[in-house]
Amino acid sequence: MGKEGDRTDINLVPLEDSSSGDSSSDRPSRTDPYSTSTSTHTYNNLNNRASNYSYPQRPPGQVLHHQRYSYVDDTPGASPPGTPINGSGGSTPYGSLLPPRYASYGHTNEHSRSSSPFPPSQAPFQSQDTLRPLFPETSSTFFSKEWVKDGSIAQLHSRDDAEFWKGWKRKLFYLAPFLTGLSLALYWLYFALRITFIIAAQKARRTTFPLAWIFVAIEVSVAIPVMLQNFWTMFALKKRGRPKLRLIGNDVPTVDIFVTCCGEDDDLVLDTVRAACAQDYPQDKFRVIVLDDGKSAGLERATRDLADTYPNLYYKSRPKFPGVPHHFKAGNLNYGLDEVHTMPGGAGQFMAALDADMIPEAHWIRAVMPHLLVDPKMALACPPQLFYNTPPGDPLCQSLDFFVHVCEPIKDALGVAWCTGSGYIVRREALDEIGNFPLGSLAEDVATSTLMLGAGWKTAFVHEPLQFGTVPDDFGSHLKQRTRWAIGTVDTSLKLKFCLWGDKIKKMTFAQRASSFLYAFLSLFNILLVLSMFALPIVLIMGKPLVAYATIDQLKWLVRACFAALISNRLTECVLFIPAGYHTGQRGSRYQLWMSPYIALCLIRSFVLPKWLGGQTQAFKPTGSLKSTLNERDAQKRAPMWRRMWTIIVNYMGFFHIGYVYFTLIAVTMSSYQCFLKLTTRDIIICLVTHAFWPPLTFIIVCSSFWIPMTYAIDPPTVKDREELLERDPKTGIAHPNKKSKKIAFSGQSSWFEFELTFTTLYTTLILVASFFL
């Protein structure tokens, strides 16, 4: 075994013992009616394997081979490995896909007798990064002297996230559950003191303090989303048990890869298509099918030209009829699922999907597929969505790093992994059981994985960098994307009764039900969050104390409790954000604030208002007419500042953010002015602290967050042309993001945010010290 982070601790898992099948599985076998070869037994009964599958440990000096758990001694002096063990041969269901012009390139060996359009030197694999070291003739220290046979699964590491983070950072992250528990306890202690002292003040002064109660409600409203997000970290100590696996050889299942698109640039789609066609997977075992909902003549022509190079590439565009709902992406995917049954070879045993802009790595299928093969109840496995055009500083928090690196691994450990819409591979029989992709939802991916969990299937999150796409390159597209996600999540939860009861989710575990309910609640909570934040300046402008207490000692204890809660929260954030990056986490916290009005508005229009009052189920729609794009991230083509500001203020309702910021600052000024009319310095300080300047200066963080759309309009980030972010093979045209583009560059905005946090923390510390001298 190698050190943590090395890639030398290899275990090999057999796909199936060829001598027998497990008849105890509670799911029937899905036989391919188009397969006529008796030698494809390994995958005809793929889903009848024992449910208690385990990863057998290889004894020292031995390598486990497929398919009879036979061991070959590779110790010095032993016979060299290389004897074929039950190699399967024959044709595959996709054998008829190969046109006659490629017949001369058929490749046959003792392990696989299926035809391939590649010459013998290229047939097994194309990736030189992950699979070449598995061959014995290759001199490499990657696997030392170990090698494997066709049809096996190699364990490259005991953790699939070893590439993302390791060492002291991983050990420090184990403190996150304890710090989160401490932070939550101190928060509620602080709120308990606030409530207790308000009651005491009312009894002592025989009056009520309604504004103090409102301010407590505001603080709780702002804190609840953070608390609920952090709640999941309490399970960070639960091990996922998700190793880093690779599927080896040519004896592999068949896969239909759908590339869904609708109006995207042809060049963008073609980069995804080329990378999908160039998978290091036997070409006669997978198809790439472009599902074009935009009916682009240029894309159709380019795809058919590209099919001369990749004979397993197809173009499909479904018919749409006026007045007949087409159900967007879900309808497009279902069309593809039906269409493959009419194609040569029939439907594949698995289906995979890629968004139009998501460029897969060459080893994508071989990395995801093993997680489905080792467990017959695993319905879907999905890698993270990563991006290569995120602007410096990510001012709009468009990356999904916190969700990808913190939330999803914890959810996966609890058996609640979501389908995130691209890069996933799914069993056809699991889709058949739930009736294919559910229609009538803006979040068909979340709905699909939820229905699968409700039917008793499993889902997996494969924490490897296996695909890279693009974030929306303008403010309006970003709003539309995120509001669509929120509406889709809430809509799915409403239709499934928040996953609390019903036949469609009857097999869900408690953790799965709690997760679905929590994320729907967080989306709906945006409505209450907006109302509570709007109440803050109203309370301030009335000039009444926000903090009520009966004695000066009670005020001191409130300050100390506030300080303890703040410091514990800062420490928790530093540790909790480690996997995603500290600055990513801070951007996410501010994003929840400034984005909440847009999400709240769309939710109200979608689920509260009737149609005659403007209600409609859709994502954010800008007001007015946008005659041309702003090109805000192109230094040469971007529209002038006045036009960018007008568009964001008027069309994208930035006037709400401006109004809120100025209203709050006016309220703070008026409240502070009244405090300076006090007679003594001590009274002035107490008045300021108990009114607008109660630590940790919440109004500063909220106003700064609400001003983000305006800073974006005034000084938008510059992003390089997409071609400059890619490394393209001049011969094949295949492109992958370069190393630099996969990371988010630092920006001055991150420094400003950190300054604010440091300032408010130091201010709270100063008030703590002052409390000992009051």
Side-chain angles (χ1 to χ4, degrees):
M1 302 289 285
K3 297 181 180 179
E4 179 173 325
D6 294 337
R7 302 163 71 181
T8 56
D9 50 334
I10 310 303
N11 291 323
L12 303 178
V13 182
L15 295 182
E16 179 183 38
D17 189 340
S18 61
S19 63
S20 64
D22 184 8
S23 60
S24 63
S25 174
D26 61 353
R27 298 193 179 277
S29 171
R30 182 176 182 272
T31 305
D32 188 349
Y34 298 94
S35 175
T36 58
S37 171
T38 59
S39 62
T40 58
H41 61 275
T42 302
Y43 294 104
N44 286 341
N45 296 307
L46 186 62
N47 298 291
N48 286 336
R49 290 188 301 274
S51 60
N52 58 345
Y53 220 100
S54 60
Y55 298 99
Q57 299 295 321
R58 178 180 64 84
Q62 294 178 337
V63 178
L64 178 60
H65 293 283
H66 177 59
Q67 296 163 335
R68 296 186 179 275
Y69 296 96
S70 300
Y71 290 90
V72 178
D73 191 353
D74 62 354
T75 53
S79 300
T83 304
I85 302 176
N86 272 356
S88 64
S91 62
T92 70
Y94 284 10
S96 60
L97 296 181
L98 303 180
R101 64 182 180 275
Y102 290 99
S104 60
Y105 290 151
H107 173 61
T108 303
N109 60 26
E110 59 190 353
H111 305 303
S112 177
R113 293 181 174 86
S114 59
S115 299
S116 171
F118 288 100
S121 62
Q122 299 177 10
F125 317 106
Q126 299 167 27
S127 172
Q128 304 302 311
D129 298 328
T130 59
L131 297 175
R132 173 177 285 183
L134 300 179
F135 287 92
E137 64 268 24
T138 303
S139 59
S140 172
T141 58
F142 188 75
F143 280 136
S144 187
K145 295 181 180 180
E146 299 176 353
W147 62 289
V148 297
K149 292 288 185 181
D150 290 345
S152 297
I153 296 176
Q155 179 175 314
L156 275 62
H157 200 285
S158 59
R159 298 196 326 270
D160 59 355
D161 60 357
E163 187 173 346
F164 282 111
W165 59 305
K166 56 187 177 180
W168 67 269
K169 291 184 178 180
R170 188 173 187 87
K171 295 179 180 177
L172 187 61
F173 183 69
Y174 287 136
L175 296 176
F178 304 103
L179 291 174
T180 299
L182 175 63
S183 178
L184 292 176
L186 290 175
Y187 254 122
W188 288 114
L189 173 62
Y190 165 69
F191 290 131
L193 290 178
R194 288 288 307 277
I195 295 172
T196 301
F197 293 162
I198 291 176
I199 295 174
Q202 292 181 157
K203 290 181 179 179
R205 302 179 187 179
R206 297 184 178 182
T207 186
T208 59
F209 293 89
L211 298 184
W213 287 110
I214 294 176
F215 187 55
V216 170
I218 294 173
E219 288 184 308
V220 172
S221 298
V222 175
I224 280 180
V226 178
M227 291 180 180
L228 291 178
Q229 287 276 18
N230 292 352
F231 172 76
W232 284 107
T233 64
M234 302 292 289
F235 301 96
L237 292 179
K238 181 177 176 58
K239 294 184 178 180
R240 292 171 58 230
R242 191 79 62 199
K244 187 174 185 177
L245 304 176
R246 289 293 183 272
L247 181 61
I248 311 302
N250 294 330
D251 191 9
V252 294
T254 54
V255 187
D256 290 318
I257 302 176
F258 295 158
V259 179
T260 56
C261 53
C262 183
E264 294 85 357
D265 292 340
D266 291 351
D267 291 341
L268 183 76
V269 180
L270 289 172
D271 280 340
T272 299
V273 171
R274 291 190 191 96
C277 291
Q279 288 294 299
D280 53 10
Y281 205 74
Q283 195 174 37
D284 59 331
K285 295 296 183 71
F286 78 100
R287 285 183 295 218
V288 178
I289 304 168
V290 179
L291 299 177
D292 182 15
D293 245 6
K295 295 183 181 295
S296 169
L299 179 61
E300 179 179 6
R301 183 169 52 254
T303 302
R304 298 195 188 283
D305 290 343
L306 196 59
D308 291 336
T309 303
Y310 302 103
N312 57 343
L313 173 63
Y314 295 83
Y315 175 91
K316 298 288 182 179
S317 182
R318 61 176 170 155
K320 295 181 181 179
F321 304 99
V324 179
H326 53 83
H327 299 293
F328 308 105
K329 185 178 178 181
N332 196 15
L333 288 169
N334 286 340
Y335 168 76
L337 290 173
D338 293 336
E339 192 70 9
V340 292
H341 286 289
T342 67
M343 297 173 64
Q349 294 158 298
F350 291 84
M351 171 235 150
L354 289 168
D355 280 350
D357 62 327
M358 277 289 171
I359 300 177
E361 297 293 293
H363 53 280
W364 162 51
I365 300 180
R366 291 192 179 273
V368 177
M369 184 66 75
H371 298 274
L372 293 157
L373 299 182
V374 297
D375 189 342
K377 291 184 176 294
M378 188 65 69
L380 180 146
C382 187
Q385 286 197 34
L386 304 173
F387 307 98
Y388 62 90
N389 72 328
T390 307
D394 192 13
L396 302 182
C397 194
Q398 293 180 275
S399 72
L400 302 175
D401 286 1
F402 184 81
F403 179 79
V404 162
H405 300 306
V406 179
C407 297
E408 271 294 88
I410 295 175
K411 289 174 60 190
D412 186 34
L414 298 174
V416 201
W418 273 358
C419 172
T420 54
S422 178
Y424 59 88
I425 302 179
V426 61
R427 291 183 187 273
R428 285 300 303 260
E429 50 265 55
L431 282 172
D432 292 342
E433 182 171 340
I434 66 171
N436 290 346
F437 291 92
L439 304 177
S441 174
L442 292 179
E444 83 293 330
D445 45 10
V446 175
T448 298
S449 50
T450 303
L451 288 175
M452 286 179 173
L453 293 173
W457 291 93
K458 298 179 183 179
T459 56
F461 174 68
V462 183
H463 200 180
E464 292 190 53
L466 299 175
Q467 59 175 346
F468 291 87
T470 58
V471 299
D473 58 2
D474 65 274
F475 189 79
S477 297
H478 172 69
L479 296 184
K480 185 176 181 180
Q481 179 195 64
R482 296 305 172 93
T483 53
R484 184 180 71 247
W485 291 355
I487 294 172
T489 300
V490 174
D491 182 56
T492 299
S493 296
L494 288 174
K495 291 178 179 177
L496 297 178
K497 301 180 179 64
F498 287 93
C499 295
L500 298 178
W501 73 89
D503 294 336
K504 293 183 179 180
I505 51 93
K506 61 183 178 181
K507 294 184 179 181
M508 271 190 172
T509 64
F510 174 79
Q512 292 167 350
R513 295 171 189 262
S515 173
S516 299
F517 176 83
L518 175 62
Y519 278 90
F521 175 78
L522 285 174
S523 295
L524 289 171
F525 192 81
N526 283 280
I527 300 174
L528 181 59
L529 180 60
V530 172
L531 294 176
S532 65
M533 288 190 300
F534 193 74
L536 176 61
I538 296 177
V539 171
L540 285 174
I541 209 167
M542 296 180 70
K544 300 294 182 179
L546 304 183
V547 180
Y549 55 92
T551 65
I552 195 66
D553 286 336
Q554 289 184 357
L555 177 60
K556 293 179 180 180
W557 280 109
L558 283 176
V559 169
R560 294 162 190 171
C562 180
F563 172 81
L566 175 67
I567 295 301
S568 65
N569 185 59
R570 292 285 188 267
L571 291 175
T572 301
E573 288 176 344
C574 290
V575 174
L576 179 62
F577 296 159
I578 283 177
Y582 173 74
H583 294 291
T584 298
Q586 294 295 355
R587 287 192 296 269
S589 300
R590 294 171 183 269
Y591 163 83
Q592 289 181 329
L593 295 176
W594 73 262
M595 191 67 188
S596 59
Y598 296 109
I599 295 178
L601 175 63
C602 289
L603 292 178
I604 291 174
R605 295 181 63 182
S606 299
F607 303 107
V608 179
L609 294 179
K611 290 185 177 180
W612 60 274
L613 279 179
Q616 51 185 324
T617 302
Q618 65 173 19
F620 179 83
K621 183 178 180 180
T623 60
S625 174
L626 300 181
K627 296 182 179 180
S628 61
T629 180
L630 297 177
N631 290 318
E632 60 252 38
R633 299 185 185 180
D634 190 323
Q636 304 297 325
K637 299 180 181 179
R638 65 170 54 117
M641 182 188 298
W642 68 267
R643 187 160 169 268
R644 298 197 306 267
M645 294 184 64
W646 175 266
T647 300
I648 289 181
I649 293 173
V650 178
N651 296 95
Y652 297 136
M653 299 177 62
F655 58 82
F656 180 89
H657 295 72
I658 295 178
Y660 177 84
V661 170
Y662 278 100
F663 185 29
T664 302
L665 294 179
I666 290 172
V668 169
T669 302
M670 294 179 62
S671 176
S672 301
Y673 172 76
Q674 294 175 359
C675 289
F676 281 103
L677 299 179
K678 302 292 182 180
L679 298 178
T680 65
T681 303
R682 182 176 181 272
D683 291 338
I684 293 175
I685 293 176
I686 292 177
C687 179
L688 290 173
V689 170
T690 56
H691 286 71
F693 291 89
W694 180 253
L697 300 176
T698 304
F699 78 90
I700 291 182
I701 302 299
V702 175
C703 288
S704 174
S705 300
F706 263 63
W707 199 250
I708 287 177
M710 295 311 304
T711 59
Y712 180 87
I714 296 171
D715 185 23
T718 298
V719 178
K720 295 180 179 179
D721 183 75
R722 195 176 69 88
E723 191 64 28
E724 298 182 50
L725 304 175
L726 301 171
E727 292 179 353
R728 188 177 300 277
D729 188 321
K731 295 182 179 179
T732 64
I734 299 172
H736 288 279
N738 58 49
K739 186 176 181 180
K740 187 177 180 180
S741 67
K742 296 177 181 179
K743 297 181 179 180
I744 302 175
F746 189 79
S747 72
Q749 188 184 62
S750 300
S751 300
W752 173 250
F753 289 165
E754 189 58 37
F755 170 78
E756 289 179 354
L757 290 173
T758 302
F759 174 77
T760 55
T761 303
L762 292 176
Y763 172 80
T764 305
T765 305
L766 177 63
I767 298 301
L768 170 71
V769 174
S771 69
F772 291 96
F773 299 97
L774 288 177

